[in-house]
């Protein structure tokens, strides 16, 4: 059995504290006692800290910040808040390094980490000002993500994993290189039988 919600919260919060320490910032008072069992109290603290990080983690940043910042991005429970960690990671370390680390999570992570890495991947195409790392389009990594995502969809039948990955894939055969087209055809069969009409509609006409 995988980690429960509070175990994932613990891991996420440890990463947040690691980043705060590297920024020499004091964390706001964390929930304690019975509040540790209150998801709303935990999320309020997490969101407050994530906003602090996004505002204060301007480049340059030490090498030691990369891993906890990426872990925080992957373990952020709300996909709409993932950019709070990805923006400073992109600014300090660049798109290529961030995407390379996310690909590793996608290939070797738990189901929860795969979903979080997919959410984070979506955010890696944000334009970030104030960065000296350049705006590498990472075309080769985009291709690597496409292949990795196709293989995940075929090998992993977890509904959340498939639903999240499928929304990020290009399933038009003509847009894929010949070596990926058989995988695309297999994934399209999964999509056309998917219970979520929004996913079916998104890829209607592909193939």
């Amino acid at each position: 059995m995988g980690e429960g919600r509070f175990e994932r919260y613990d891991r996420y919060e440890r990463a947040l504290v690691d980043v705060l320490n590297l920024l020499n910032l004091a964390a706001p008072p964390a929930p304690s006692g019975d509040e540790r069992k209150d998801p709303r109290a935990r999320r309020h603290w997490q969101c407050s800290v994530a906003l602090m990080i996004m505002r204060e983690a301007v480049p340059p940043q030490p090498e030691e910040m990369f891993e906890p910042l990426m872990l925080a991005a992957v373990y952020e429970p709300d996909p709409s808040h993932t950019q709070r960690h990805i923006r400073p990671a992109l600014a300090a370390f660049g798109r290529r390094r961030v995407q390379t680390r996310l690909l590793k999570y996608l290939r070797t992570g738990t189901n929860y980490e795969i979903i979080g890495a997919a959410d984070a991947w979506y955010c890696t195409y944000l334009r970030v000002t104030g960065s000296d790392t350049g705006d590498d389009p990472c075309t080769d990594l985009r291709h690597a993500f496409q292949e990795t995502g196709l293989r995940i969809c075929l090998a992993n039948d977890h509904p959340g994993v498939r639903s999240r990955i499928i929304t990020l894939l290009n399933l038009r055969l003509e847009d894929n290189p010949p070596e990926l087209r058989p995988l695309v055809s297999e994934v399209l069969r999964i999509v056309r039988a998917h219970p979520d009409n929004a996913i079916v509609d998104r890829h209607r006409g592909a193939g």
Side-chain angles (χ1 to χ4, degrees):
M1 182 176 292
E3 291 179 315
R5 174 194 287 181
F6 291 116
E7 288 80 10
R8 295 194 296 266
Y9 279 4
D10 289 344
R11 183 171 293 195
Y12 178 46
E13 289 168 5
R14 286 195 296 269
L16 293 176
V17 170
D18 286 344
V19 175
L20 284 180
N21 289 339
L22 288 164
L23 290 169
N24 293 316
L25 295 175
S32 60
D34 288 342
E35 277 193 321
R36 297 289 296 170
K37 300 176 184 177
D38 182 352
R40 289 175 298 180
R42 300 280 295 267
R43 284 297 293 145
H44 178 76
W45 185 87
Q46 293 165 8
C47 290
S48 297
V49 173
L51 278 172
M52 290 174 62
I53 290 170
M54 187 174 71
R55 291 168 179 159
E56 301 296 331
V58 296
Q61 292 299 334
E63 177 66 25
E64 294 80 9
M65 187 177 291
F66 181 71
E67 281 298 330
L69 197 53
M70 294 303 300
L71 192 149
V74 169
Y75 273 81
E76 166 58 58
D78 185 342
S80 68
H81 294 172
T82 301
Q83 64 171 301
R84 295 177 180 177
H85 309 294
I86 290 297
R87 281 186 180 276
L90 291 172
F93 302 104
R95 180 178 291 126
R96 176 167 294 278
R97 184 158 181 207
V98 169
Q99 289 188 341
T100 298
R101 185 65 182 93
L102 291 176
L103 282 169
K104 185 173 181 180
Y105 272 113
L106 289 166
R107 290 166 176 157
T108 64
T110 64
N111 287 336
Y112 187 85
E113 289 171 342
I114 291 171
I115 294 169
D119 291 331
W121 183 274
Y122 178 80
C123 297
T124 61
Y125 290 99
L126 293 167
R127 295 189 65 85
V128 178
T129 58
S131 171
D132 295 327
T133 60
D135 192 29
D136 185 344
C138 301
T139 305
D140 57 322
L141 297 184
R142 190 190 298 261
H143 176 88
F145 175 83
Q146 176 76 359
E147 180 175 1
T148 299
L150 291 168
R151 295 190 184 281
I152 289 171
C153 286
L154 295 176
N156 189 329
D157 61 1
H158 185 280
V161 168
R162 276 188 172 170
S163 295
R164 191 65 192 98
I165 294 291
I166 284 171
T167 62
L168 299 175
L169 296 177
N170 181 345
L171 297 181
R172 293 187 177 276
L173 282 175
E174 64 272 18
D175 293 343
N176 282 271
E179 66 271 17
L180 294 187
R181 290 175 188 173
L183 300 179
V184 173
S185 295
E186 289 296 318
V187 172
L188 278 171
R189 279 194 273 274
I190 293 172
V191 168
R192 287 164 181 155
H194 202 282
D196 187 338
N197 289 332
I199 288 177
V200 176
D201 291 342
R202 181 183 181 90
H203 294 289
R204 194 178 301 279

